[in-house]
Structure formats: C-alpha cells, structure tokens
Amino acid sequence: MKPRVGFFDFTCCEGCQLTILNLEEEFLELLELVEIVEFREILQAPAAALDIAFVEGSIAGPEEAARLRRIRERSRTLVALGACADNAGVNALSHFRAPEELGESAFGRVVEGIEERLPRPLECFVAVDARVPGCPIDGREFLGLLQALLVGRAPELPAYAVCVECKLGEYPCTFEQGTVCLGPVTRAGCNALCIAGGDRCRGCRGLVDNPRSQPYRQILEQHGLTVEDILAEFRIFNLPPEKS
C-alpha cells in the first residue's frame, strides 16, 4: 500500500504548493510512489489517517490552531512546508505593528482581539517532524525530503550559510556594493537565487545552525557589522516561536 500523503494550507499565499505542482512530470512520477489523498489545489477528499502531512502557512487564530492539531492527530509525520509554516514568514511583520494600527490598515477600523490572530509558526502549536524552508520552497529540495521520508532516512538541511553558495556561484558580494545582506547567517540550500538575480538575501530559509561561527562573523566584521546587527535585520522572516 502506498504511503498516504496530504497537503494543507493556512495563512499563506499557497506559493509553496504551486511550486510542487510546477514540478509537472516529476510530480506525476511522484504519484507512482505515494497516494495523495488531500490537496485542496487539486482535489477535495478528506482522509481519516495520513502517513505524511505537508502543511503550508502560518497559524493565525484559535480556529486555525484547532484545525492544525486535528491534522497532527491523524498524521504520522508532519512537515512544515515553506517559510510561513517554518518561521511565520512575511506574515510575522504584523507582530511589529500596534493592534489598532493593524485593524485600521487592513479593515479601516479598530478590530477587537486582533492580537490573538497574529500569525505564528506551526511549532508553536504542534510537534513538527521535518521542514522545507524557503519562500517559496525549492521543488528539488521538497523531492529530496520526501524521498528521505519514504526510505526511512532522517531529512537533512544544509548546515552552512548562503555565503558559501555565493562563493561557489562567483557572485559579487552585496556588502561590497553597500547593501546589507543576511547571507552570512542564513541557511543555504537555495543556490543563492536572490543574489544571482541581483537582490540581497532576506533570510527566508532561517538561521544557519551556528550563526556566530568564526567564518561568518569575520565576513560581518570586515564590513563593520556584528552578528547582533545582522540578526536585528531578521524581521521579515524568522519570528521567534512561542509555544501555545
């Protein structure tokens, strides 16, 4: 019997699920290995039990938290899919605005209890067994993680920073162009896609395991920054989790 897999979305743009669908032929090959029993983008058929649940989106409000817990209860393995699920993503910027200001900007009025609906990552509410970081995720990384789960191997993420991928790609350092970049403390695995496109790293893949390690600290010190300075830039992504 094929492993039963479900895909779920909460507060997000659903871009990570679209990335999976954009795998096209590889996605069709995936169907030979697993049985997708829940995936709102392509079918509506709730299943009683799941071997793997891929969950996209941050959790905003008690209703979403309750639904997530129900998914967790019937799933053997739960995977945080993308930055919103992993670290609350860009949605976490709402934590840095006053509640009344959020209500006015979104609804044109003050909204009672809006602070109870500020988005948080999955791990604030349930145990997360694995994660695919990024905004959006990398399709190849998703396939690699799924393959690891199917053969019973623990998924692994790169333990080095995006700076390594910049060096391998021979991209010019954004610091040398006068732009602050989060590459020295951000987990690699994206092939420095944003830098390759002329932008800077904004930290969507989360912190590398040891951001204060000597090589990365030296890069920052060369440009007049401390690790604390660069960590202060992590507001767009990487909201610190608070268990609930």
Side-chain angles (χ1 to χ4, degrees):
M1 182 176 177
K2 295 179 181 179
R4 295 161 63 85
V5 175
F7 291 84
F8 305 89
D9 51 85
F10 288 86
T11 299
C12 62
C13 69
E14 301 186 20
C16 294
Q17 292 173 90
L18 291 176
T19 297
I20 294 170
L21 293 178
N22 285 339
L23 291 169
E24 298 179 344
E25 290 186 7
E26 290 172 290
F27 180 75
L28 294 177
E29 293 173 0
L30 176 64
L31 298 181
E32 298 179 5
L33 302 176
V34 301
E35 179 186 3
I36 297 179
V37 294
E38 290 191 56
F39 196 154
R40 192 179 65 83
E41 295 283 354
I42 55 177
L43 57 87
Q44 291 274 13
L50 297 165
D51 293 293
I52 307 173
F54 289 98
V55 181
E56 180 182 4
S58 54
I59 304 303
E63 299 88 352
E64 290 197 347
R67 177 174 165 242
L68 174 65
R69 290 188 177 106
R70 290 195 295 270
I71 294 170
R72 173 73 271 190
E73 288 172 358
R74 59 191 176 96
S75 303
R76 182 169 57 85
T77 299
L78 188 142
V79 181
L81 191 67
C84 290
D86 186 26
N87 52 40
V90 294
N91 300 326
L93 286 171
S94 58
H95 285 258
F96 304 103
R97 302 279 293 276
E100 59 274 12
E101 186 180 356
L102 284 174
E104 288 287 354
S105 63
F107 304 103
R109 59 183 174 83
V110 175
V111 178
E112 294 294 332
I114 195 171
E115 61 273 14
E116 297 177 1
R117 299 185 175 276
L118 295 180
R120 288 186 283 173
L122 305 187
E123 66 175 329
C124 289
F125 304 94
V126 298
V128 174
D129 301 303
R131 55 199 179 96
V132 185
C135 182
I137 62 168
D138 179 270
R140 300 292 180 275
E141 189 169 38
F142 163 78
L143 290 174
L145 177 136
L146 179 58
Q147 181 183 44
L149 292 177
L150 292 178
V151 300
R153 177 168 50 85
E156 295 182 2
L157 293 172
Y160 48 88
V162 171
C163 281
V164 175
E165 294 178 325
C166 275
K167 295 293 185 183
L168 292 173
E170 299 184 349
Y171 304 129
C173 181
T174 58
F175 281 110
E176 296 175 358
Q177 300 172 359
T179 302
V180 173
C181 177
L182 301 186
V185 296
T186 298
R187 186 182 303 278
C190 58
N191 294 315
L193 182 63
C194 293
I195 289 86
D199 196 3
R200 66 187 180 107
C201 175
R202 299 175 185 273
C204 74
R205 289 181 57 83
L207 286 172
V208 72
D209 292 335
N210 186 9
R212 291 175 173 79
S213 66
Q214 188 66 22
Y216 309 134
R217 189 170 69 245
Q218 286 179 345
I219 294 172
L220 297 174
E221 290 174 348
Q222 289 170 4
H223 295 88
L225 294 168
T226 66
V227 173
E228 284 65 33
D229 291 331
I230 204 74
L231 290 178
E233 295 284 327
F234 264 65
R235 277 195 171 188
I236 297 180
F237 297 95
N238 301 284
L239 180 72
E242 296 177 1
K243 302 292 183 181
S244 175

